[in-house]
């Protein structure tokens, strides 16, 4: 009888460990691997990172059908918020097939540093990023200085290097802005082609349709974020794919090895 009791305890422990591990990854922290050098010198390719979900709140899915552009999900309340300077894991808001639209792909995940929270006014001069709400430098100043001295011809707007699609402002990844990151409840006037170009993808994502040319103002229903890789000369980030919606966020990096 005693042996049977110990076998029962062992069986429950054997079943509980993977269950606790899975529940922990859904609600508390999750593990990811850095695939590229876009976050150097902070992270090297192959580094393992852990991202906590309790600050912004864990994202849960109502459906496991991920064929559409919008995650059928909801978020539990968090106990904090994401701050400028945090390194965040999120779903990349573009798809090789749907490159002109914000599109959710469950397994397409990247890790970047937040430089613009909802409502922030941001930009860059000679490769150095500024946020008018933050006095201290944002991101790696060393790598931004490297970008400053990189030949401009590599980064002029083109089909390959699509900085703020259709903005028409002549921005490069060295010099861009100012731009205001969309915030829930913020209204923008779409009275110029540059304004329509800056916010078109975000608006069409929220509208779940094409932005009509007769629409002159729009009020956002989501918070959006602007992320950059620390390796400023070589990072595919919000300078290329634009703003990231709140329902694409996964967690804040707290541990790496």
């Amino acid at each position: 009888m005693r042996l049977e009791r110990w076998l029962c305890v062992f069986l429950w422990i054997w079943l509980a460990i993977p269950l606790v591990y899975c529940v922990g990854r859904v609600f508390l922290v999750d593990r990811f691997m850095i695939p590229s050098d876009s976050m150097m010198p902070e992270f090297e390719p192959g580094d393992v990172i852990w991202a906590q979900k309790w600050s912004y709140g864990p994202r849960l899915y109502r459906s496991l059908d991920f064929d559409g552009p919008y995650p059928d999900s909801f978020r539990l309340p968090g106990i904090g918020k994401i701050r400028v300077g945090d390194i965040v894991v999120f779903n990349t808001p573009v798809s090789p097939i749907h490159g002109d639209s914000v599109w959710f792909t469950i397994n397409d995940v990247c890790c970047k540093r937040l430089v613009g929270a909802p409502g922030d006014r941001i930009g860059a001069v000679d490769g150095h990023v500024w946020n008018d709400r933050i006095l201290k430098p944002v991101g790696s100043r060393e790598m931004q200085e490297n970008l400053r001295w990189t030949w401009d011809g590599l980064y002029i707007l083109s089909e390959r290097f699509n900085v703020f699609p259709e903005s028409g402002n002549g921005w490069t990844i060295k010099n861009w802005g100012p731009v205001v990151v969309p915030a829930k409840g913020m209204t923008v006037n779409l009275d110029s082609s540059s304004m329509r170009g800056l916010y078109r993808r975000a608006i069409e994502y929220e509208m779940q349709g094409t932005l009509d040319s007769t629409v002159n103002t729009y009020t956002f229903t989501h918070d959006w974020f602007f992320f950059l890789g620390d390796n400023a000369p070589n990072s595919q980030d919000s300078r290329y794919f634009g703003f990231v919606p709140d329902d694409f966020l996964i967690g804040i990096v707290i541990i790496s090895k």
Side-chain angles (χ1 to χ4, degrees):
M1 189 67 181
R2 196 168 181 179
L3 178 61
E4 291 179 355
R5 185 177 301 154
W6 279 109
L7 287 174
C8 185
V9 170
F10 175 78
L11 179 62
W12 275 110
I13 294 175
W14 184 76
L15 293 173
I17 290 176
L19 178 62
V20 170
Y21 178 74
C22 291
V23 171
R25 291 188 66 172
V26 171
F27 290 95
L28 297 176
V29 294
D30 206 349
R31 177 182 180 274
F32 302 90
M33 180 175 289
I34 300 295
S36 70
D37 63 357
S38 67
M39 281 300 293
M40 289 178 62
E42 185 72 29
F43 300 131
E44 300 278 349
D47 282 353
V48 174
I49 59 174
W50 291 84
Q52 58 93 347
K53 302 181 178 183
W54 57 76
S55 287
Y56 201 64
R59 182 182 63 187
L60 304 178
Y61 297 103
R62 298 185 183 91
S63 169
L64 298 181
D65 180 7
F66 301 118
D67 290 335
Y70 314 102
D72 186 7
S73 64
F74 65 97
R75 194 177 296 277
L76 297 179
I79 60 174
K81 62 180 181 179
I82 297 177
R83 302 177 184 275
V84 171
D86 285 342
I87 300 175
V88 181
V89 178
F90 56 93
N91 292 97
T92 310
V94 294
S95 162
I97 301 175
H98 308 91
D100 197 42
S101 303
V102 177
W103 194 279
F104 179 79
T105 305
I106 181 64
N107 292 322
D108 192 355
V109 174
C110 61
C111 171
K112 309 290 181 185
R113 189 180 300 276
L114 179 65
V115 301
D120 285 354
R121 187 172 178 266
I122 59 174
V125 177
D126 292 334
H128 291 274
V129 179
W130 57 266
N131 180 320
D132 66 0
R133 190 175 56 83
I134 307 296
L135 297 179
K136 62 182 180 180
V138 180
S140 171
R141 307 307 283 177
E142 175 188 356
M143 300 304 284
Q144 291 175 14
E145 184 68 9
N146 289 345
L147 174 61
R148 176 185 181 184
W149 296 107
T150 304
W151 177 50
D152 285 337
L154 293 175
Y155 300 116
I156 300 299
L157 280 172
S158 67
E159 290 183 3
R160 182 180 178 189
F161 298 110
N162 206 0
V163 185
F164 290 106
E166 304 174 15
S167 67
N169 288 317
W171 294 347
T172 70
I173 67 169
K174 286 187 184 184
N175 294 282
W176 51 269
V179 61
V180 178
V181 183
K184 185 176 181 179
M186 184 180 93
T187 299
V188 292
N189 293 316
L190 305 175
D191 52 0
S192 68
S193 59
S194 62
M195 289 293 286
R196 298 181 74 86
L198 284 174
Y199 296 116
R200 179 186 64 82
R201 289 188 181 185
I203 293 173
E204 289 183 347
Y205 176 81
E206 292 191 355
M207 294 176 58
Q208 300 189 19
T210 303
L211 176 60
D212 193 289
S213 60
T214 61
V215 176
N216 296 318
T217 63
Y218 182 78
T219 301
F220 288 96
T221 60
H222 285 258
D223 282 328
W224 294 75
F225 299 81
F226 194 92
F227 294 97
L228 295 183
D230 283 358
N231 187 1
N234 188 31
S235 173
Q236 294 293 315
D237 47 40
S238 286
R239 297 169 297 179
Y240 299 98
F241 52 62
F243 307 110
V244 178
D246 50 12
D247 48 6
F248 280 39
L249 304 187
I250 297 174
I252 303 171
V253 176
I254 53 171
I255 302 175
S256 65
K257 64 178 182 178

